[in-house]
Amino acid sequence: MKTMLGVLLVLTLGAVPALAVLGQYESSVSLDQQYLRGQDRVTKPQGYTLHQITVPTGGVVSEYVTPQGKVFGVSWRAPLIPNLQQLLGAYVAEVQKAAEAQTRRRGAPLIVRENDFIFVSGGHMRSFHGFAYVPSLLPQNVPAEVVR
Amino acid sequence: MTVKKSFVASLGLFLSVVGGLIVMAGCSGGGSSSPSPLQPVTPTTNNSVTLSVNLGPTGDYDNGLFTSVEVCAPGSTTNCTTIPNILVDTGSQGLRLLSGALGSVSLPSVTDASGNDIQECIQFISRAYIWGPVAQADIHLAGETASKAAVQIISESPAYPVPTSCLSAGTNGAVDYNSVSALGANGILGVANIAQDCPASECGAASNGIPQYFVCPSGSCQIASVPSTGIVTNPVALFSQDNNGVLISLPTVPAGGAATASGSLIFGIGTESNNALGSAQIYAVDSYSNFTTTYNGTEFSDSFIDSGSNALYFLDSASLGNIECIDNQGNPTGFYCPASTLNFTVTNTGTNGTSGSVTFSIANAGTLISTGFAAFNDLGGDSGGTSLLTDYFDFGVPFFFGRNVFVGIGGTTVPTGVSAPYGYWAY
């Protein structure tokens, strides 16, 4: 019995993505909450679950979760930009590519528009905001506009 | 429908102030209009420095708004240097200088209570950062002085690796702006509505956990407790006079642009004969330095004016009929390339309830940039995602052409008595 519990525990831990959120299962939200050390306010608007994590360094990071438990969007509004590697996981590589193509824009929002990944990072010093979402993960009848 | 129709044209003010200081430097940009010359102005203090719109030291900075700044070791008149190509940024706070631009001038470090040198990391929305120590300097701008001001030195060879807690893109995706080639300037002069780049209530104590100021005893960096005089601050707020804000005055430029343009950065608002508000309308900002812009009945509540943005960034290509510019690799450049010039009218509303309309045009950015000119009042780009309305209009440098734009610092008294605790814009 003891052995079985040990195996189960390992499997559960293994299923939690280390530092990935967008496109991953909701369990990663609690990791984010720990990482951001914030208070998580959970609400259930029509068709999805919304986690609004109040960040101690100021502002709010929101995570949008499908009924199946996958994070389909993230957004932030804060005096400092949250760690995007933490929020976006592997998608952060797409952000890098876009930044390299937008060099003539100065002091401008950073935008990524791919078939299945949309990202905007904007604002100015002490007032940053942005969002990212995966269109193919949007729940039925939930418009992309909820992620903001 | 939320559009308010009331507005007062600011043209009258434009024609009545500092007209004599406005010079069109672009000679090949076609016809340009200059404001009428007016009564001579003789401020009691020399409170004006020249602004230049040019392509900057890297030659590719469209709508780069630059000035020169003299910095000296505190109290010195000889350990000084004048640094050109400093970007004037109404979207940030305080002076930041590339280490190489200082030449042989050495400035004392700002330290914490234990004598450790304070370092600072600043994030940019483009996922870049700048990193380097905070030093003390006397900053001279025309006849004005900010004594013992905290300035950031942007290290071209940082003494310590940048702390990962400051990197918005994580360790793999971050790039630094710690060079002329990346920054496109020798430094940044931030003259925003907020004086300090982090309130003492936040960065004053390490226990608040704000990853912006650091100390690196024995090589490993941790969040610092910064003395309040060590927080990088808009030098204008530190002047002994003319310290309640600035006036940015740029000439009109013709459609299609001008090779360069020059204007004035004037210190103080309503403090001298050359910086009266006149008939300018005051738009108070919220605690994030934002106001509301209304376009086609939709409110964009986080809008701002930002001379550090080189274009008008608003809406997205999809909502404007797919006018995105595409580079020769097929990638969007983020600018707008309409087949013919588009005209817009929006309404700005301050937190004090003042409302007024702004009109602007967007021309084909590919055509504009191919001229090799630097100054464009019709350069625009995308601020948001495909099907989303973004939260803001970013009124960049194009907004400033042909206007006198006042930037009021929060906490100062507004000459007209309007309530603007977080500062204001007037134009």
Side-chain angles (χ1 to χ4, degrees):
Chain A
M1 198 58 198
K2 215 175 173 183
T3 317
M4 261 187 78
L5 268 177
V7 169
L8 275 175
L9 188 65
V10 168
L11 283 176
T12 312
L13 284 172
V16 178
L19 280 179
V21 169
L22 190 65
Q24 304 289 334
Y25 282 96
E26 185 173 14
S27 47
S28 62
V29 174
S30 61
L31 268 186
D32 268 1
Q33 193 193 341
Q34 288 168 27
Y35 181 80
L36 297 164
R37 293 180 297 127
Q39 273 197 321
D40 184 9
R41 178 169 171 269
V42 186
T43 52
K44 290 193 181 291
Q46 189 112 39
Y48 65 101
T49 302
L50 171 59
H51 293 263
Q52 290 171 294
I53 303 171
T54 304
V55 185
T57 55
V60 174
V61 172
S62 300
E63 305 195 302
Y64 304 76
V65 181
T66 68
Q68 293 74 38
K70 271 198 171 173
V71 179
F72 66 89
V74 298
S75 68
W76 61 93
R77 241 181 110 83
L80 296 168
I81 307 172
N83 186 314
L84 300 176
Q85 201 168 35
Q86 160 73 18
L87 289 180
L88 305 179
Y91 287 103
V92 84
E94 308 304 315
V95 174
Q96 256 175 280
K97 273 198 292 183
E100 283 155 17
Q102 294 174 17
T103 50
R104 205 104 186 187
R105 286 160 59 98
R106 305 277 190 162
L110 179 59
I111 300 168
V112 183
R113 261 197 217 104
E114 297 188 343
N115 286 340
D116 207 23
F117 175 60
I118 307 294
F119 168 92
V120 175
S121 166
H124 54 86
M125 245 171 101
R126 302 213 46 81
S127 173
F128 294 112
H129 35 100
F131 57 80
Y133 68 95
V134 179
S136 66
L137 291 180
L138 284 172
Q140 264 199 326
N141 303 320
V142 172
E145 282 80 357
V146 301
V147 183
R148 58 182 299 170
Chain B
M1 192 64 183
T2 54
V3 175
K4 293 176 188 165
K5 294 284 185 192
S6 72
F7 72 95
V8 175
S10 53
L11 185 64
L13 172 67
F14 177 52
L15 292 175
S16 66
V17 184
V18 297
L21 298 171
I22 297 169
V23 178
M24 267 297 295
C27 51
S28 50
S32 65
S33 61
S34 290
S36 319
L38 331 147
Q39 75 267 31
V41 289
T42 36
T44 54
T45 301
N46 179 2
N47 66 337
S48 172
V49 293
T50 301
L51 292 175
S52 299
V53 180
N54 59 58
L55 294 170
T58 55
D60 64 353
Y61 205 123
D62 310 295
N63 278 336
L65 183 64
F66 298 101
T67 194
S68 295
V69 176
E70 187 190 22
V71 291
C72 298
S76 177
T77 54
T78 52
N79 191 9
C80 296
T81 186
T82 299
I83 306 174
N85 291 318
I86 302 293
L87 192 79
V88 175
D89 180 15
T90 65
S92 69
Q93 304 83 15
L95 183 63
R96 303 169 202 283
L97 300 169
L98 278 165
S99 53
L102 279 170
S104 59
V105 171
S106 60
L107 301 174
S109 306
V110 169
T111 58
D112 72 358
S114 310
N116 299 304
D117 291 355
I118 302 276
Q119 315 283 326
E120 189 178 25
C121 181
I122 293 289
Q123 300 173 327
F124 290 76
I125 52 177
S126 59
R127 69 89 162 92
Y129 65 89
I130 58 178
W131 166 239
V134 179
Q136 248 184 14
D138 287 354
I139 302 168
H140 299 290
L141 287 154
E144 315 277 10
T145 298
S147 297
K148 293 188 178 177
V151 301
Q152 186 185 16
I153 307 304
I154 310 170
S155 298
E156 287 168 81
S157 315
Y160 308 101
V162 62
T164 54
S165 58
C166 158
L167 301 180
S168 64
T171 44
N172 298 327
V175 294
D176 71 71
Y177 277 174
N178 284 34
S179 63
V180 177
S181 60
L183 194 63
N186 285 328
I188 302 172
L189 174 62
V191 291
N193 304 107
I194 309 173
Q196 293 181 313
D197 74 358
C198 183
S201 59
E202 294 181 25
C203 286
S207 56
N208 291 335
I210 309 290
Q212 182 169 335
Y213 286 93
F214 298 86
V215 285
C216 308
S218 55
S220 118
C221 299
Q222 63 209 47
I223 293 170
S225 296
V226 193
S228 62
T229 54
I231 292 175
V232 174
T233 301
N234 178 352
V236 176
L238 302 173
F239 293 164
S240 56
Q241 67 216 337
D242 302 327
N243 52 16
N244 58 349
V246 298
L247 161 57
I248 291 177
S249 178
L250 292 181
T252 54
V253 294
T260 59
S262 78
S264 301
L265 173 64
I266 297 169
F267 304 110
I269 298 175
T271 58
E272 306 274 0
S273 53
N274 63 350
N275 61 17
L277 276 171
S279 59
Q281 285 232 71
I282 290 177
Y283 299 84
V285 296
D286 65 19
S287 60
Y288 293 101
S289 302
N290 297 328
F291 53 82
T292 297
T293 297
T294 308
Y295 172 69
N296 269 358
T298 301
E299 291 186 350
F300 298 83
S301 59
D302 289 333
S303 294
F304 53 92
I305 297 169
D306 179 13
S307 68
S309 297
N310 69 341
L312 300 163
Y313 292 107
F314 66 105
L315 301 174
D316 61 43
S317 172
S319 67
L320 295 172
N322 295 316
I323 55 169
E324 185 94 64
C325 309
I326 304 295
D327 69 15
N328 44 25
Q329 269 93 51
N331 297 315
T333 65
F335 287 114
Y336 289 146
C337 283
S340 58
T341 297
L342 303 175
N343 298 310
F344 295 87
T345 301
V346 301
T347 301
N348 287 343
T349 306
T351 59
N352 56 330
T354 299
S355 200
S357 72
V358 171
T359 59
F360 58 88
S361 299
I362 297 299
N364 186 304
T367 307
L368 294 177
I369 291 171
S370 70
T371 59
F373 289 178
F376 306 107
N377 67 359
D378 44 11
L379 182 66
D382 199 315
S383 72
T386 305
S387 60
L388 300 183
L389 291 170
T390 53
D391 284 325
Y392 63 84
F393 274 56
D394 171 358
F395 295 92
V397 167
F399 174 81
F400 289 83
F401 289 116
R403 278 197 175 87
N404 286 318
V405 181
F406 296 86
V407 192
I409 297 173
T412 62
T413 304
V414 186
T416 59
V418 165
S419 171
Y422 302 108
Y424 60 94
W425 293 92
Y427 55 87

